[in-house]
């Protein structure tokens, strides 16, 4: 009879621990699934309801989840701010390079990182003259 009670107690303990672990995994899964909605609510996004609906209905697909996450984090504003930052930095470097190139005439044809804006190569006046010579 004692062995039966020990087995019954271990069985109940195992079921309890198993249920706790399963509930924890489900809770973690729901938190990860609704991470875009949680982020939108935390940031007090103006379209939190639409982000929630998009997340609820299309979050099962990877694309729907990523779109709702990017929308919740205002990724378009981050990209636009980055583009503005790169333009301002490029304008500052070209202005400083114009003032330094007038002091010393260096006719190098190498393209530097300051000459690249949004993936396009911008030719300085010196580089444009050298490229047209060939």
């Amino acid at each position: 009879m004692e062995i039966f009670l020990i087995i019954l107690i271990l069985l109940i303990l195992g079921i309890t621990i198993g249920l706790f672990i399963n509930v924890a995994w489900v809770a973690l899964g729901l938190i990860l699934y609704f991470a875009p909605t949680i982020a939108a609510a935390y940031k007090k996004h103006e379209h939190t309801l639409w982000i929630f609906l998009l997340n609820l209905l299309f979050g099962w697909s990877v694309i729907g989840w990523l779109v709702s996450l990017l929308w919740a984090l205002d990724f378009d504003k981050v990209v636009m701010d980055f583009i503005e930052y790169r333009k301002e930095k490029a304008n500052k470097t070209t202005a400083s390079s114009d003032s330094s190139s007038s002091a010393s005439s260096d006719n190098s044809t190498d393209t530097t990182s300051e000459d690249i804006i949004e993936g396009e190569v911008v030719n300085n006046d010196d580089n444009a003259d050298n490229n047209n010579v060939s």
Side-chain angles (χ1 to χ4, degrees), residues 36-107:
T37 303
I38 293 168
Y42 179 75
K43 291 182 70 170
K44 296 181 175 126
H45 197 283
E46 61 186 42
H47 300 293
T48 303
L49 177 64
W50 289 107
I51 293 170
F52 167 72
L53 290 175
L54 178 70
N55 190 198
L56 180 69
L57 299 175
F58 299 106
W60 55 268
S61 69
V62 176
I63 294 173
W65 189 85
L66 284 174
V67 167
S68 60
L69 180 67
L70 294 176
W71 189 10
L73 298 177
D74 288 331
F75 191 69
D76 56 340
K77 292 178 184 173
V78 172
V79 170
M80 293 305 293
D81 289 342
F82 179 73
I83 290 172
E84 292 291 323
Y85 168 76
R86 291 294 294 163
K87 284 182 181 179
E88 289 174 8
K89 185 176 178 183
N91 288 339
K92 288 179 183 177
T93 56
T94 55
S96 65
S97 67
D98 286 344
S99 63
S100 65
S101 67
S102 64
S104 65
S105 67
D106 181 20
N107 292 332

Side-chain angles (χ1 to χ4, degrees), residues 105-112 115 124 126-128 130-131:
S105 67
D106 181 20
N107 292 332
S108 64
T109 58
D110 296 335
T111 303
T112 61
D115 296 334
N124 292 339
D126 296 335
N127 289 341
N130 291 335
N131 291 336

